[in-house]
Amino acid sequence: MRRAISYISISEWLNILVQVFGGCCTNVFVLKNLLSNNDSNYSLGTLITFSQFLTAALLSVPFNSLGFIKPKVPMDKWFLSVALYFVTSLLNNLVWQYDISIPTHIIFRSSGTVVTMIVGYLFGGKRYNKHQIISSIIITLGTIKATLPEDTSSMIEFNSKFLYGISILLVACIISAFMGLYSEQIYRTYGNQWHESLFYNHFLGLPLFLFVSPTIYEEIKVVMKSEPLHFGAFSIPKQVANLVMNVSTQYLCSKGVNMLAGNTSALTVTVVLLVRKFISLILSVLWYGNTMSNLAIIGSIAVFGGAAYYSLSGLRTNKTKSMDKKHL
């Protein structure tokens, strides 16, 4: 039996939370700086994705005092996971050139909870209780309500370029749901191998970037030509510094997410990441000195209330199962 999120030890929880919320939330700010300082015709999305894959692969090599650790999961089991993760990562970073803002990106991906449940129900043989369904719907609606403007006339005009970007996000969201379901099956069969998942999903995906290497080369030239940042006698292009910060925080984020996936279900991972996305929005509001609208306040209550409802219902379900086993 896989462990429920409520039974992760306090030390494991703290480690995961620091990396997921600290790494992922910080990454949002760094990404905004990287994109806002880009005045070229390139989105920089391909370079960002490649840099994130390369950094994660180098920093997560499974070594110990005896040398390279032999994988416990058969190598062929990683190929589908790698393909799904590569496509999802590339699509999510390519949408910046299609009039998709960071808030819109977060809003749309917040539907991941419901998509995960639908994919799990149709293709994973999963059945969810009413508490999980209700809490997931509350969280999704709360996030959408919190990020929509009170004045609907200020919403983004739906042009063809924007709709194309939304279509890309939809495809990425569906692929991500399948990837979460597949990863859950691997962990159920071979145990909590999150470290292997982190390494092989990134390392085996590196050769796939050969297909987009011309774009990577052009985007490297763009960041290298950015204005320099001076540190005494030392200087570095500003966009290079932003890129280094981006891949560093993204590595912490990916590591935390993989640890979370190794200890919980695909749906629970989606819920935790949804809360993380919402917190990123709240922090951005505070950072830029904006005030929260009434809708944002209502949405925040819905998101955190839904997350608490989901956690408590999961705890109650697991206690019930444990009591039933004792009486068998």
Side-chain angles (χ1 to χ4, degrees):
M1 288 288 294
R2 301 273 317 283
R3 288 183 300 173
I5 194 169
S6 305
Y7 290 99
I8 299 176
S9 68
I10 295 178
S11 60
E12 288 177 312
W13 254 120
L14 290 175
N15 194 16
I16 291 173
L17 289 178
V18 167
Q19 295 182 80
V20 171
F21 287 89
C24 298
C25 291
T26 304
N27 185 258
V28 172
F29 290 98
V30 179
L31 179 61
K32 182 175 179 60
N33 288 334
L34 190 58
L35 297 177
S36 61
N37 285 283
N38 176 35
D39 55 1
S40 70
N41 294 325
Y42 291 91
S43 68
L44 301 184
T46 307
L47 175 61
I48 291 172
T49 308
F50 170 72
S51 301
Q52 291 173 349
F53 268 63
L54 180 60
T55 301
L58 292 175
L59 295 180
S60 62
V61 178
F63 270 114
N64 60 19
S65 59
L66 300 177
F68 188 82
I69 302 175
K70 183 179 179 180
K72 296 181 180 179
V73 180
M75 194 63 63
D76 61 295
K77 298 295 182 181
W78 291 119
F79 292 147
L80 177 59
S81 178
V82 169
L84 294 175
Y85 185 63
F86 172 81
V87 173
T88 302
S89 301
L90 200 59
L91 290 178
N92 280 325
N93 279 327
L94 282 177
V95 297
W96 307 121
Q97 59 185 330
Y98 296 105
D99 295 340
I100 300 295
S101 65
I102 290 180
T104 303
H105 194 273
I106 295 176
I107 292 171
F108 197 86
R109 293 184 66 186
S110 295
S111 63
T113 306
V114 175
V115 173
T116 298
M117 294 184 71
I118 293 174
V119 170
Y121 181 85
L122 295 177
F123 300 96
K126 289 180 172 293
R127 297 297 180 265
Y128 304 104
N129 61 48
K130 64 179 181 180
H131 302 293
Q132 291 175 312
I133 295 173
I134 293 173
S135 60
S136 297
I137 292 175
I138 291 174
I139 293 171
T140 300
L141 293 179
T143 304
I144 293 175
K145 181 179 287 292
T147 52
L148 286 177
E150 289 189 306
D151 181 10
T152 55
S153 63
S154 64
M155 295 179 67
I156 300 176
E157 181 182 356
F158 280 74
N159 53 58
S160 57
K161 191 175 182 180
F162 176 76
L163 289 177
Y164 189 72
I166 288 295
S167 299
I168 292 177
L169 282 177
L170 176 60
V171 173
C173 192
I174 295 173
I175 294 175
S176 180
F178 277 103
M179 182 182 68
L181 186 64
Y182 183 72
S183 297
E184 186 177 334
Q185 292 174 349
I186 289 180
Y187 291 137
R188 184 183 295 113
T189 303
Y190 300 99
N192 181 6
Q193 308 302 331
W194 67 266
H195 197 166
E196 282 189 29
S197 175
L198 179 63
F199 173 69
Y200 288 107
N201 275 335
H202 290 91
F203 176 73
L204 295 179
L206 289 176
L208 298 177
F209 285 98
L210 289 174
F211 296 103
V212 290
S213 55
T215 302
I216 294 175
Y217 176 71
E218 293 298 326
E219 292 183 348
I220 288 176
K221 291 196 295 184
V222 169
V223 299
M224 292 301 295
K225 291 180 180 178
S226 61
E227 62 176 299
L229 286 176
H230 298 284
F231 302 94
F234 177 76
S235 65
I236 183 175
K238 183 176 182 179
Q239 289 291 69
V240 172
N242 286 332
L243 183 62
V244 170
M245 293 178 64
N246 177 272
V247 298
S248 300
T249 54
Q250 181 61 33
Y251 171 71
L252 289 178
C253 179
S254 296
K255 184 180 176 183
V257 170
N258 275 273
M259 292 175 67
L260 184 65
N263 288 280
T264 64
S265 67
L267 179 60
T268 301
V269 172
T270 304
V271 170
V272 173
L273 294 184
L274 182 58
V275 175
R276 190 276 300 169
K277 294 170 189 173
F278 181 78
I279 290 179
S280 295
L281 287 175
I282 297 300
L283 290 176
S284 66
V285 169
L286 297 176
W287 180 265
Y288 292 107
N290 298 321
T291 58
M292 288 183 64
S293 65
N294 293 330
L295 285 180
I297 296 175
I298 295 173
S300 64
I301 295 174
V303 170
F304 290 104
Y309 180 27
Y310 177 86
S311 299
L312 291 174
S313 65
L315 177 61
R316 184 166 54 250
T317 299
N318 284 299
K319 284 185 176 180
T320 302
K321 289 182 179 179
S322 298
M323 293 178 65
D324 291 340
K325 287 183 178 180
K326 290 181 180 179
H327 288 87
L328 290 178

